[in-house]
Amino acid sequence: MTTVVTEKLPRERGSASASFSLTRKRVVIIGGGFAGIAAARALRKADVEVILIDRRNHHIFQPLLYQVATAVLAPSEIATPIRQLEAKQKNLDVVLAEVTGVSLSARVVEVIYPRLGTRKLGFDYLIVATGMRPSYFGHDEFALHAPGLKRLNDAETIRTKILSAFELAEATENETECARQMTFVLVGAGPTGVELAASIAQMVSITLRNNFRSIDPANSRIILLDGGSRILPSFAEPLSKKVVRRLTRLGVEVRTGLKVETVDEQGVIASGERIASATVLWTAGVAASPVVKMLGTKTDRAGRALVGPFMEIQEAGDVFVAGDASSLTQDGHAVPGVAQAAIQQGRFVGRLIANRVKGRKDGRPFLYRSKGNMAVVGKNFAILETGRLRTSGFATWIVWAVLHVLALPQLQNRFRVQTQWFWSYLTGQRSSRLIAEAPRAVELIKQKTGS
Ligand SMILES: Cc1cc2nc3c(=O)[nH]c(=O)nc-3n(C[C@H](O)[C@H](O)[C@H](O)COP(=O)(O)OP(=O)(O)OC[C@H]3O[C@@H](n4cnc5c(N)ncnc54)[C@H](O)[C@@H]3O)c2cc1C
């Protein structure tokens, strides 16, 4: 196997580190999410050159994105620069670029650097860990009016949309328009939809109390829609029923069995019913990132690569797909698209490559060990399912909070998130209530006149 070096990285151009050598095998990792970072760390002591490519300069702790979208946390509290996170790993180069092509036969990855253009990077081993993106089930036009929640900008867009809706409701003299501004529709009742709906409900009843003069935010309608027969299908039915009761108590209208047919400027049409809403949020489907398609390998219906027992693709034994972008069945069940599965897979592939480089045989195939499934439903209430154990309530919420703080990648983030949560818990205030872009004056005038 020969290393294809088609482009030089900064350290090859002379700012060199003594540990760098062109004779070493090169591992290219695409994606600095949970799987990519875990893979890179597992290769820390391996005699390889590791290149981690991501189109963003930061790693996002996605489980807390909904808190950025609802003003509890600021973006920097859940995101960490990848360079800072991996600064101590001497055999690693971080490349800020978007992967636009992969050639398995030429063993190169094509990337576009911001402002520098296209380049090619050769690899001996390739790990694709590019995650998922929101899927609108063939209706990409819905995205214009119903943002999904995946990146930091999505969370900021949602936060701006929610906070602006109250400003516009306060400004208008038209009652119908006021009601439309104060109606929030969430499409998709998986964990993200549930967590977001509960957080908006507590924001309107506690955080925004007494902040407006002509409207009472507590009169908002928050509607959680799902096409399935029940919410949270990844949890046991008794837990999903408990969550419905909890959401109802918080003021969320849970409506299942409704199929969304249209999303437009006026709101949604679901199973023939028009719901007027200025804020529609998409928390429904996901599809694999387009990078998987570039491999030309077999995929499942969501575009995830069907991988073998060592997380490798069928076409090449040294090309791996890890994390959400992979599709693997274990004991008749699909390995879920959650952070712990991505971390375990990334670590597994990293160790496997480290072993191969040493000339050792592959060990056992990948085995996912679930530590349980959790979701939080506002303040003081979370659910947990692990094996046969199912718990819910305040104690579970404490466990959720502790686990999430500990899972944040840096001490600085842990400290800041804890402080914000503590303050928010005591006062009900949220520290990040910024409207990134104010509602346009013309829109405000329209609200005022009701035209
Ligand atoms: C809102 C939300 C809430 C969640 N809550 C939970 C939870 O509570 N618990 C839980 O366990 N899981 C949760 N998840 C799921 C969990 O975050 C994912 O399973 C996990 O992030 C998957 O890790 P990954 O490394 O496969 O992909 P990701 O973490 O998505 O990382 C993919 C990386 O690839 C990069 N990338 C993509 N395409 C390219 C390209 N062409 N070029 C360069 N870089 C590229 C992206 O920039 C990104 O950094 C949640 C997910 C979301 C969206």
Side-chain angles (χ1 to χ4, degrees), residues 112-118:
I112 292 191
Y113 286 81
R115 286 185 284 277
L116 292 178
T118 307

Side-chain angles (χ1 to χ4, degrees), residues 30-45:
I30 314 174
F34 287 101
I37 294 283
R41 287 181 176 175
L43 286 161
R44 183 175 283 159
K45 291 185 182 157

